[in-house]
Each structure stands twice: as structure tokens, then as C-alpha cells.
Amino acid sequence: MSQGVRDTANVRTWSKKVPAYLFDLGDLDAHVLKEHPEVISAMGRARTPRTVDWNGAIVLFLCGLLPLMAAAAWGGVLTESRIEVDALSEAPEIGRWCFSGSTLGLIVVAASWWRTHRLRSTLEMATVLWAVGAGVYFLVGTWNDGSVDVLPPDQETVPAWLTILGGLVLAAVMQWASHGQRLQFRRFFRVTHKPNFDEVRRLVGRLDYRRQEKLLDERRRAIRRLTERGLIDRTQAARVESLPLGCSPMATDDD
């Protein structure tokens, strides 16, 4: 069995776990027929390769690493010597730029949360709270150092205040207004071209009869699970079940 087949969720797992924001009824038969790439190709689909989670990397950088750099700068970790009198002179400027990036990171987190149907991510929630904690640490340090104004804030401390207040508001909203936890799931197939359903029927017809019956049984079970989860209604379920195996893209609203 090829690496692509092993990396692709079977139809049972897909129908149980696919989140609403990634669900496409046209993918149903692609998962049923995942071991038959020639049929999947005729369906106008191809496997989606694993890619780097750039959104997660951006969130980690903006809401995780940048606040750490700001806090470390104030603590003297990034200075040449903690003994020098002016060792912390650059810390407020570093903090200003770092927390400006963190404020942008909060916007990225909020957009990701909204785009995924208000499902919260543990990673994003943790990085937001981390940024808030680093902001508090930074402000306490600058308050004790007395080099910049914390109350009222000046241009060096305004970004930290924005990160703290914005992060607290965002964390509260994500906690109380979310529909649940975001699953670590991905799209396993992508649309590449227009389906050729005559070719699909021909290729499926060449499969062993017992193999076809087994696949159809798996498909019926998946349709029942999708209906129970509310991802499709009974009318859609009846329509896709009436279609030949491999023709689930015909049941989508766009076709």
C-alpha cells in the first residue's frame, strides 16, 4: 500500500471526525475508494499532500516567541552584560516592536477562530495566554525600572497594553463563545479537474462484485454517521445513496 493511502483517513474515520468547516460531501466516495487512485482521478480529485501548518507557525512566532524576546530583553538575557548601567536601555524599544507583532498575532488567532466556525484551538489559546503573561511581566519590569511610563502608557508600553487587554478579551471570547474544540484534521483530497463520471462507472464496474458490495456497505454506514452528526440532511443522504459508487460529487450543491 502506498504512503499516500496510509496517510489518508478511511471513510469511517473521516465520517466520524471531519469538522463542518472542512466537510465536502463530494469527498465521501474518494475516502471510500482511497485504495483505487485511478477512480479518484476520474472523480476529478487528488490527494492533498501534507504541508506545514503555516497558520500555527505564525501564531507561535507572533504570540509566543516575540513576547518571550521582549520579556528576555527586559530581564537582561539579550544584553551583553547585566552589570552595565545601561544594559536595559534597549529593552523598551525591543518590547515595543515585539508586542506590536503580538497584537497582530491576536488578529490572526481571531480570524482563524472565526474561519473555523468558532472552534477554539488549544495551541492558539495557550499562546494568547502566554503573550498576556509576558506582557504583564514586561510592564512590571519597566514599572520597577522606571525608564518608561506604564501608567499612563507611552509609545513603548502601549503595544504591551494592547496585547494584554486584547489577549484577555480574545481568550474570554474563545472560551465562552466557541462551539467546541478544534480537531487536528485536514482536507485529504482536493478538486483538480472536472469529473468524468462515465469513466468512474467503468472503473468501478471492473472491481470484483464482492469488493463493490463491501465498499457500498462502508459508504452506507458513513452516510448514516454524517446524517447523525447533522452534516447532511435526510434528503441529501437519500440522494447520495442513490448514486453509483464514485459519483458522490454529483450530490454537492455546486453540481
Side-chain angles (χ1 to χ4, degrees):
M1 187 179 295
S2 68
Q3 186 68 31
V5 171
R6 290 197 300 269
D7 289 343
T8 303
N10 59 40
V11 69
R12 181 173 181 270
T13 300
W14 175 79
S15 61
K16 280 186 172 183
K17 296 185 176 181
V18 60
Y21 65 91
L22 292 179
F23 174 67
D24 181 348
L25 184 55
D27 289 343
L28 170 63
D29 284 351
H31 283 275
V32 173
L33 293 156
K34 73 169 194 168
E35 297 180 11
H36 302 277
E38 70 283 358
V39 183
I40 294 172
S41 178
M43 289 174 60
R45 277 165 163 73
R47 287 188 175 85
T48 302
R50 284 188 174 273
T51 57
V52 176
D53 180 10
W54 288 110
N55 188 75
I58 291 171
V59 169
L60 281 174
F61 176 72
L62 294 176
C63 290
L65 182 59
L66 286 184
L68 176 63
M69 291 171 60
W74 176 81
V77 176
L78 301 183
T79 60
E80 294 181 1
S81 172
R82 299 187 64 175
I83 301 175
E84 296 178 5
V85 176
D86 62 343
L88 302 179
S89 61
E90 297 300 321
E93 183 69 11
I94 294 174
R96 179 164 71 93
W97 287 106
C98 288
F99 284 109
S100 295
S102 295
T103 302
L104 177 62
L106 298 180
I107 298 174
V108 174
V109 172
S112 177
W113 175 75
W114 185 262
R115 178 180 58 82
T116 56
H117 295 201
R118 290 172 25 207
L119 294 173
R120 64 179 178 272
S121 162
T122 301
L123 173 64
E124 292 174 356
M125 180 74 84
T127 51
V128 167
L129 294 177
W130 167 261
V132 169
V136 171
Y137 178 80
F138 179 82
L139 289 183
V140 170
T142 53
W143 176 281
N144 291 335
D145 181 60
S147 58
V148 295
D149 293 329
V150 175
L151 285 173
D154 61 14
Q155 62 178 0
E156 279 81 11
T157 56
V158 164
W161 277 112
L162 289 176
T163 294
I164 294 170
L165 298 177
L168 289 174
V169 170
L170 179 59
V173 170
M174 290 173 65
Q175 177 65 32
W176 299 109
S178 293
H179 291 153
Q181 194 75 19
R182 192 185 312 162
L183 298 174
Q184 295 301 312
F185 214 80
R186 63 185 180 92
R187 284 291 301 272
F188 290 91
F189 295 96
R190 66 187 190 277
V191 177
T192 55
H193 56 275
K194 187 176 178 62
N196 183 343
F197 292 114
D198 289 336
E199 180 68 6
V200 168
R201 294 186 185 93
R202 186 185 70 82
L203 292 171
V204 171
R206 291 170 55 184
L207 299 178
D208 180 76
Y209 175 77
R210 287 175 296 181
R211 175 65 174 166
Q212 292 185 47
E213 287 299 310
K214 179 183 177 181
L215 294 176
L216 283 170
D217 184 58
E218 291 178 357
R219 184 208 221 190
R220 283 189 289 268
R221 293 173 185 271
I223 292 171
R224 185 167 64 250
R225 283 189 290 266
L226 294 173
T227 306
E228 291 171 351
R229 293 181 58 198
L231 294 179
I232 59 176
D233 56 32
R234 294 187 180 278
T235 300
Q236 290 173 303
R239 182 184 180 194
V240 71
E241 193 164 349
S242 68
L243 294 171
L245 184 61
C247 296
S248 65
M250 294 177 66
T252 60
D253 294 336
D254 295 333
D255 292 323

